Amino acid sequence: MIRRLCVDECVGATGNLSPPMSNKAKKTSNRLTVLFVNSNKLAPGLYGDGNNLFLSVRPSGSRSWVFRFRERGGNRIRDMGLGTAGPDGVPLQAARDRAVALRADLRAGRDPIADKKAAAAALEAPQKTFGDYAINDWLPVYAMGFKNPRSAKELKRVLEINAAPLFSLALDAIGKPEVLSVLTPIWTTKAKTARELRARLETILQAATPQHRLGENPLARQP
């Protein structure tokens, strides 16, 4: 029988894998060891490492990391999975680092489970294409500054003709090779159009960041 830990205190009997400690000597964090986590002698239950991090061992012997926290403004205890544990799972130190980051989110008033669900939903949602964003989202707002209504139609036509290869691409999939593929063919034959197109593409990609794309703008000018 080994020590079993609950949310706040260590309870239960002790054995070879977990030597007894006095209340004063108990560690508040980093209680577990790699050897302990990987042991095949663990009884089913929750084993606390501190900082809201727990090793969950099932009757089958499989194990996983759990971040357990109290719901803000209430008494409900919630569990958030942090991946499998054991020799082939998430390393102990990586789980600890994640727990520390999640505690910081809690202190900032954020709900880590809600954030996780939102991130998963964003990955599953269809990504907006360059054409959809440029024509339906960006252009109507950008054209509000035009004095001549025909200017918006002309810009739309320029994009549809010269940036056509980008229209079906997800915004987050557009990098330097993609923009060069539309700029290079006209750079020497239609220099003025190429310069204007480059400026428009830079503006569109910047406007789409970070809501629809991540990372640096491939057309951003270096300081």
Side-chain angles (χ1 to χ4, degrees), residues 51-222:
N51 288 327
N52 301 72
L53 179 65
F54 290 82
L55 173 67
S56 173
V57 181
R58 301 177 182 85
S60 64
S62 64
R63 58 204 65 190
S64 61
W65 295 113
V66 173
F67 182 77
R68 173 165 286 194
F69 63 99
R70 192 179 302 278
E71 189 176 58
R72 189 177 182 87
N75 293 320
R76 186 160 68 109
I77 300 298
R78 306 180 69 188
D79 287 347
M80 177 178 175
L82 302 183
T84 58
D88 299 321
V90 176
L92 173 58
Q93 188 57 52
R96 285 172 173 168
D97 293 342
R98 181 65 175 140
V100 170
L102 289 172
R103 282 173 61 89
D105 288 342
L106 288 175
R107 288 194 296 269
R110 300 179 61 177
D111 184 332
I113 293 180
D115 287 351
K116 183 179 180 180
K117 290 180 178 179
L123 290 175
E124 294 176 359
Q127 289 189 314
K128 188 176 285 288
T129 64
F130 176 87
D132 182 17
Y133 179 79
I135 302 303
N136 300 318
D137 295 351
W138 173 80
L139 184 57
V141 177
Y142 188 77
M144 291 175 65
F146 293 164
K147 294 181 179 180
N148 188 343
R150 293 182 57 185
S151 299
K153 294 181 179 180
E154 292 174 358
L155 178 53
K156 180 174 181 274
R157 184 169 179 272
V158 168
L159 291 172
E160 290 175 337
I161 293 176
N162 297 289
L166 303 180
F167 270 48
S168 62
L169 299 180
L171 281 161
D172 205 33
I174 297 177
K176 186 171 291 186
E178 288 73 27
V179 295
L180 286 178
S181 71
V182 300
L183 291 175
T184 302
I186 63 172
W187 200 261
T188 55
T189 59
K190 301 177 182 178
K192 183 175 183 296
T193 300
R195 288 194 298 269
E196 292 177 349
L197 178 62
R198 185 204 179 284
R200 298 294 180 266
L201 294 179
E202 179 183 358
T203 302
I204 293 169
L205 294 178
Q206 188 59 43
T209 306
Q211 184 176 3
H212 299 294
R213 57 175 280 113
L214 302 174
E216 296 182 356
N217 188 332
L219 288 170
R221 299 183 185 277
Q222 299 300 319

